Amino acid sequence: MTFSDSFFASKFGLSQGDLEAYLSLALSQGGDYADIYFEYLATSMIAIDESIVKTATQGVSLGVGVRVISGERTGYAYSDDLSPEKIRKAAKVAAFIASGPAKVDKQPLHEGIKRNLYPVLTAPNEMGFVERVDLVKRAEKAARAYDTRIFQVQATYADSLRHVLVANSDGILNFDRQPMARLSVSAMARENGGAPQNGHAGGGGRVELSFFLNEKTPEHFAGEAARMAIVQLGAVDAPAGESVVVLGPGWPGVLLHEAVGHGLEADFNRKGTSAFSGRIGQQVASPLCTVVDDGTIANRRGSLNVDDEGNPTQRNVLIENGILRGYLQDQLSSRVTGNAATGNGRRESYEHIPMPRMTNTFMMPGESDPEEIIRSVSKGLYCANFGGGQVDITSGNFVFSASESYLIENGKLTRPVKNATLIGNGPEAMKYVSMVGNDLKLDEGVGVCGKEGQSVPVGVGIPTVRIDRMTVGGTGAAA
Amino acid sequence: MIDLARDVIRQALAAGATDAECTISEGEEFSAQVRLGELETLKEAGSRGAGVRVLRGKHTGASYTSDLTPDGIERMVAAAIQLAEITTEDPFAGLAEESEFGSIAGDLKIYSSDVETLATAPRIEMARRAEKAAFDFDPRITNSEGAGFDSRLGHRVFANSRGFAGEYRSSSCSMSVVPVAKVNDKMERDYWFHSSRAFDQLEEPESIGRKAAERTLRRLGSVKVETQRVPVIFEPRTARAILGGIFEAVEGRSVYRQSSFLATKLGERVASENVTVIDDGTIPGLFGTSPFDDEGIPTRRTPVIERGILKSFLLNSYSARKLGMKSTGSASRGITGNAGVGHGNFYLEAGTRSAEELIGSVKNGFYVTELIGSGVNIATGDYSQGAAGLWIRDGELAFAVSEVTVASTLQQILMSVEVGSDLEFRGSVASPTILIGEMTVGGR
C-alpha cells in the first residue's frame, strides 16, 4: 500500500504536503525534532456473566498528537478534531517548548519499510457480532461443564482495530493497521459452603477471528480457568520466607518483564535512576540467562510493524549469557545518548507522549529437561501461573503474584498453595538462576503493561527455570 | 452539552430504544515536568467524548465516540441499537429508579476557577521549587526522576430518558516530586505529592519537596529481616491498600456474585469495635465528591462498617435490584456501558491514639511505608504484598527494611486493627495510621 491509499489519506484527505506543513510549523520556534501521530481506534467488547450476555459495547476514538523535542525537552499537544485549524493549533502549542528561530532542515518525507507481521485480512471487529457473541457463550458453557463445583463464570471478548500514521522531521513516514483480539475467562469454584476460589485464563493476539475457532478455542481458555479454580479449592497456605522457586514455562516470564525489562528502558538509564544504570557489559544474571525483547514475532500481542514513533521494531538482545548488552530505546533517549533506535518507542494513544517500552520479552531456552529441574529440588515452590507484577526500578525490587503454584517436596509437585506475592531484587535475583529448561513457551496473549499511567499490550515468555533464592510472601511454614 | 445529551436520548428513542442514557465528558489537561532544575516536558490539550447506553426491553447495548459531529452521533446511536440485538434478556436490566433521581444542591467546591486561569510559567516554577527543596534538603539526594505540576478541568453531563439531566464541572491540580538518593552503590527513590481542587489550597512546593526527600532518605541502608510474625503498622499512604480491599469486598457486584468474603456478612461483626468505615460522596472539596452518581442518583453518606458491624454494601441500581436493596448512589462508569460500582470518599474514621503512640506501643514490629504489587484476594480475604519500611524496636523507628512481604487475611486484619487519629484526605480513599496485631513478614 502506498501513502495515498492509506487510511488517513483516503478517509481524511491528508496529503504528504499537509504533513510537511504541520511539521514545519511544529519546528517554527527552533525545535530539534518534531513528529506527528494520527490514530483511529475502533473497539468492541462483549461479556457474559451469570449465563447472560449483559454487556456489549463498541465505539471509536480518533485524534492527532504533535511532539517537539528541543535538547532534552519535550513539548506535546493533541486534538481529537482532525481539522487543519486544530492540528495547526496543536503544532503551535507543542512548538513552544523551544524558543528561537527555526533551525532544522526538515527532511522530505519518504515512506518507510513495508512488511506485515500480522497479515489479518479481516480484523475480528470488521466481522458481524454473531460469531463473536458465540465465543463468550461457548466459553461460559465449557467452564460450567468442567466441574459441578464451578458456580460463577464470566467470559469477556474484546477486540480493536487501530490505524496509525507517523511522520517526523527526519523524513520518516509510516502507517500501520494494527488488529488485536483477546478472549478471557474467569471461573469461581466452591465446595461445601467454603470460601470461593478464582481461576483466570485468556489469550489472543493480532489475529483473525479463526484463531479462536481453530487454535485457541473458547473451550481451551474456559477449561484452564475452571481447572485453576478447582485446583485452588485444595490449596494450603503458601510458605513464608526464602525458598527455591521453579517457574513453569510461559506466562511466568512476567518475572523477566519486572526483574529486568523495566530496569532496561533507556529513559531510566539515561537519567541514572535504574538499578541497571551504567551496567552495560557487566554480569547482571547467571550465565545461563539470555533475555531478548522481540517486537517482530508474527501475530503476537506485543508485536508491531513499526513502533509509535515510526521506527521498525526489531529483535534486541538485552542480556546475553548473563552480560548486560543493551537498553530499550525511544526517539528521545536514542537522540540524547547517541544510540541507534531499537523500535521500542510506544504510547497508549494520541493523547500520550511516547516512552521506551517492551514488546515481547522472553528468555532463550537452555539445556535442562523440565522434569529434571523439578526433580532437583528437595523443598521449594513451583509456580505454574502468575497474576501481575510490579517493580521499583531504582532499588530494583520487584514482585509478582503466583496464582497457581505447588509445593515441591523431594523432587515432586505435591500440594497446591494459595496465592502469594514473591519478591526479589532485579540485578540480584537473576544471578540465582541455576537451571534453564529447553521448553521455552510464550504466553497466550493477555499481557498489559502499565508505566507512568500509560497501558500498552505486551508479551512475555520463559522456559522452566530454577531460581535458588527468592522470598515467598505466604503465611505458612518456610518451604 | 446538556442539549446534545438530550438530543442523543431523543435519537436513541427514535431508533427503537425503549430507554436510553447518555454521558458526555470533556476534559482539559496541563502538565509540566521539571528535572534537575530544567523544564523536561510540557503537555497541554483537551478532548471530549460521548457515550450512549440503550435498552430495548431488557436487552442493553452501548457505544461511544470522540466524534461529536451529527454524523458521529448518529453512528454512535446506531451502534448501540445494533448491540442491543445481540445481548441476552436480563430481567434486572434497566435505568435507575425514577423516584431516586436527584442532585445535591449547593456548592460542593469541586470546581475552582483559579485552576483554569493559571499561567504556564508559574506552574513550571512551582515544580522547579519543589524539586530544588528536595535537593537542598540533604546532599545524599543526588538525582531525581523529576517534579511535576499537573492540572485538569473536567465537565461531565448525564441525561436519561426518564427525565434526569444534570452536569457538573470539576478541577484539580497536583504537585509531586520523586527524589533519588544514593549511598555507596545502593539507590532508593520515594515520592510525595499533594493535590487539591483549588490552586490556592495546594501545599507549598517546598514542603512537598522536603517531605519527598525525607521519605527517600529514610529508605537508605535497608536490610532484609528474618521471616517472623509481628505487629505491623501501616502509615496512612499504605493503609489505603487495605481500605481499597475492603471497598472491593463490599461493592455490589462482588456481593451478588458471591465472590466476596463479606457477601454473606451483612449485620454481622466483621471487624474490631475500633473500625468504622464510611463512604461519603458529599464532603465539599474532596476528590470523591460529586452531586450525583453516574446513573443520576444523588451521592450520600453511607456507613459501611459501624463499630465493627457490616452495615451496608455499596450499590448501583443493578446490584440493588439483584440484592433486593436500594442503590447507595454508587454507580460509576467511563462514558459508556453498564454502570459499575464506585466509591465517593471512602475512609476509615479516625481513632484517638496518635501515630507516635501506636509506634510507641510496639516492641518489635514493622512500619510499612511502601507496598508493591496487588495482593488482595477478595473471594477468600487472603492478603500478601511486597513491602518496604522501617523496623520498630522498643517503640522507635530503628532501621530501614526492604525486599520483604507482609501477609495475613483481611478478616484477621480487620479483627485486630487499632486505628490512629491522623486521618487526612489526600485522595478519595483515606485512612489514618493503623496497627495490625500480627502479620507474617516474609524475609530471609
Side-chain angles (χ1 to χ4, degrees), chain A residues 43 46 49-50 52-62 72-78 80 93 97 129 133 151-154 188 190 195-198 240-242 268 271-275 350-353 390-395 397-399 401 418-421 423-425 471-475, chain B residues 29 35 38-48 60-67 79 82-83 86-90 143-145 180 187-189 219 224 227 229 253 256-259 318 322 336-338 372-375 377 379-380 382 384-387 402-405 407-408 440 442-444:
Chain A
T43 68
I46 302 161
D49 187 21
E50 300 184 304
I52 298 170
V53 179
K54 292 186 184 179
T55 309
T57 303
Q58 56 180 329
V60 293
S61 63
L62 76 158
E72 291 191 47
R73 293 179 170 195
T74 299
Y76 198 80
Y78 59 84
D80 57 14
V93 171
I97 198 70
F129 276 95
V133 174
F151 76 102
Q152 286 288 9
V153 178
Q154 185 187 14
M188 296 193 84
R190 187 169 52 189
Q197 297 288 349
N198 282 305
E242 284 183 348
F268 302 126
K271 299 172 185 178
T273 59
S274 164
Y350 69 89
E351 295 185 8
H352 298 91
I353 300 174
Q390 199 184 332
V391 62
D392 169 344
I393 49 101
T394 304
S395 68
N397 290 339
F398 67 92
V399 294
S401 56
K418 291 182 179 175
N419 298 357
T421 294
I423 190 163
N425 183 271
T471 295
V472 183
T475 54
Chain B
E29 63 163 319
R35 184 172 170 267
E38 295 286 329
L39 177 64
E40 190 179 46
T41 309
L42 211 51
K43 184 177 173 187
E44 192 172 358
S47 62
R48 46 192 205 161
T60 62
S63 63
Y64 68 91
T65 185
S66 67
D67 177 3
Q82 177 196 17
L83 290 180
I86 63 153
T87 52
T88 319
E89 182 164 88
D90 180 351
N143 200 347
S144 159
E145 281 195 9
V180 176
M187 270 193 303
E188 294 285 354
R189 72 169 180 196
R219 295 177 68 148
K224 188 169 177 172
T227 301
R229 293 184 63 83
R253 181 164 179 271
Y256 75 71
R257 296 181 90 242
Q258 295 289 303
S259 60
Y318 183 82
K322 295 278 285 189
T336 192
N338 300 335
I372 175 168
S374 55
N377 181 336
T380 59
D382 291 332
S384 163
Q385 278 194 291
S402 73
E403 209 192 324
V404 297
T405 55
S408 180
T440 303
R444 274 187 294 123

Side-chain angles (χ1 to χ4, degrees), chain B residues 87-388:
Chain B
T87 52
T88 319
E89 182 164 88
D90 180 351
F92 295 95
L95 302 185
E97 312 310 319
E98 210 169 323
S99 59
E100 295 177 21
F101 292 158
S103 178
I104 298 179
D107 184 5
L108 289 172
K109 300 194 171 359
I110 54 174
Y111 171 80
S112 171
S113 58
D114 65 356
V115 177
E116 202 160 353
T117 51
L118 281 175
T120 301
R123 303 196 237 206
I124 298 170
E125 190 49 30
M126 285 183 68
R128 207 191 305 266
R129 278 167 56 195
E131 194 199 36
K132 183 170 185 304
F135 275 106
D136 289 349
F137 188 79
D138 192 293
R140 290 171 297 169
I141 302 291
T142 55
N143 200 347
S144 159
E145 281 195 9
F149 183 100
D150 290 81
S151 61
R152 273 171 193 281
L153 296 167
H155 178 202
R156 198 171 173 91
V157 175
F158 178 77
N160 67 26
S161 56
R162 299 293 172 93
F164 181 89
E167 64 183 314
Y168 58 90
R169 291 177 186 277
S170 61
S171 61
S172 71
C173 48
S174 68
M175 230 188 315
S176 62
V177 193
V178 189
V180 176
K182 191 173 187 178
V183 165
N184 302 323
D185 230 11
K186 291 277 274 183
M187 270 193 303
E188 294 285 354
R189 72 169 180 196
D190 208 311
Y191 69 93
W192 195 244
F193 72 101
H194 187 244
S195 28
S196 61
R197 292 290 194 188
F199 178 69
D200 67 6
Q201 281 162 23
L202 209 52
E203 285 173 9
E204 282 297 297
E206 283 74 16
S207 84
I208 298 167
R210 281 195 298 268
K211 185 82 184 273
E214 223 174 307
R215 294 186 63 94
T216 303
L217 290 166
R218 69 178 183 181
R219 295 177 68 148
L220 284 169
S222 64
V223 297
K224 188 169 177 172
V225 293
E226 290 197 16
T227 301
Q228 54 196 295
R229 293 184 63 83
V230 290
V232 173
I233 293 182
F234 291 82
E235 63 163 8
R237 196 173 89 184
T238 48
R240 293 172 32 144
I242 307 284
L243 220 55
I246 297 170
F247 165 71
E248 285 180 54
V250 299
E251 68 90 9
R253 181 164 179 271
S254 65
V255 175
Y256 75 71
R257 296 181 90 242
Q258 295 289 303
S259 60
S260 158
F261 73 98
L262 292 178
T264 57
K265 306 283 187 205
L266 199 62
E268 293 180 26
R269 170 162 300 283
V270 297
S272 81
E273 278 274 325
N274 307 321
V275 176
T276 294
V277 175
I278 306 284
D279 182 60
D280 190 345
T282 70
I283 310 172
L286 296 187
F287 283 97
T289 302
S290 60
F292 52 86
D293 77 355
D294 291 348
E295 289 184 309
I297 299 209
T299 59
R300 66 202 65 192
R301 180 177 190 275
T302 305
V304 174
I305 298 175
E306 220 164 19
R307 298 177 66 82
I309 310 294
L310 182 61
K311 288 289 189 186
S312 177
F313 298 121
L314 294 179
L315 307 172
N316 59 11
S317 69
Y318 183 82
S319 55
R321 280 192 290 270
K322 295 278 285 189
L323 294 166
M325 298 174 178
K326 284 195 134 195
S327 166
T328 56
S330 305
S332 169
R333 67 181 129 204
I335 53 171
T336 192
N338 300 335
V341 174
H343 55 74
N345 300 290
F346 188 76
Y347 67 96
L348 178 59
E349 259 186 15
T352 51
R353 298 171 80 190
S354 69
E356 291 69 31
E357 283 176 79
L358 291 178
I359 295 167
S361 72
V362 174
K363 219 175 148 32
N364 180 52
F366 185 29
Y367 179 74
V368 180
T369 63
E370 175 84 7
L371 287 167
I372 175 168
S374 55
V376 188
N377 181 336
I378 296 309
T380 59
D382 291 332
Y383 171 86
S384 163
Q385 278 194 291

Side-chain angles (χ1 to χ4, degrees), chain A residues 111-342:
Chain A
E111 292 176 38
I113 61 147
K114 291 284 184 303
R115 65 170 175 193
N116 199 350
L117 299 168
Y118 22 88
V120 170
L121 288 182
T122 308
N125 83 349
E126 293 168 326
M127 310 268 296
F129 276 95
V130 176
E131 295 86 346
R132 289 179 279 169
V133 174
D134 200 41
L135 297 179
V136 295
K137 288 183 176 166
R138 277 173 57 183
E140 123 95 23
K141 213 168 142 192
R144 288 190 188 275
Y146 184 88
D147 192 298
T148 52
R149 289 168 292 177
I150 300 292
F151 76 102
Q152 286 288 9
V153 178
Q154 185 187 14
T156 304
Y157 169 84
D159 60 27
S160 63
L161 182 61
R162 182 190 306 267
H163 291 275
V164 299
L165 167 71
V166 198
N168 74 23
S169 57
D170 293 341
I172 286 183
L173 169 60
N174 265 317
F175 45 90
D176 197 16
R177 171 178 173 272
Q178 302 167 346
M180 184 74 88
R182 177 167 74 164
L183 177 62
S184 30
V185 185
S186 116
M188 296 193 84
R190 187 169 52 189
E191 83 186 332
N192 306 327
Q197 297 288 349
N198 282 305
H200 299 282
R206 302 192 183 279
V207 295
E208 309 243 0
L209 200 65
S210 62
F211 174 87
F212 298 105
L213 303 175
N214 304 326
E215 290 175 58
K216 298 283 180 181
T217 60
E219 289 74 19
H220 163 78
F221 296 119
E224 265 301 285
R227 183 190 62 74
M228 285 171 67
I230 296 292
V231 164
Q232 285 303 116
L233 286 175
V236 298
D237 286 341
E242 284 183 348
S243 170
V244 176
V245 173
V246 176
L247 305 183
W251 178 245
V254 76
L255 167 93
L256 305 169
H257 181 99
E258 305 298 351
V260 298
H262 277 296
L264 298 180
E265 289 163 346
D267 45 355
F268 302 126
N269 287 285
R270 167 167 66 82
K271 299 172 185 178
T273 59
S274 164
F276 289 97
S277 298
R279 294 208 183 181
I280 296 252
Q282 291 182 14
Q283 187 91 35
V284 295
S286 124
L288 297 170
C289 298
T290 293
V291 179
V292 171
D293 184 83
D294 189 346
T296 70
I297 312 171
N299 300 106
R300 296 288 309 176
R301 185 169 166 82
S303 296
L304 288 168
N305 290 319
V306 289
D307 71 6
D308 298 325
E309 300 178 313
N311 289 308
T313 55
Q314 58 188 47
R315 181 178 192 276
N316 296 298
V317 177
L318 304 177
I319 294 174
E320 191 175 17
N321 302 323
I323 309 290
L324 181 58
R325 290 297 179 209
Y327 299 129
L328 298 168
Q329 302 287 344
D330 66 352
Q331 193 78 26
L332 174 62
S333 289
S334 69
R335 287 181 70 85
V336 170
T337 61
N339 283 291
T342 60

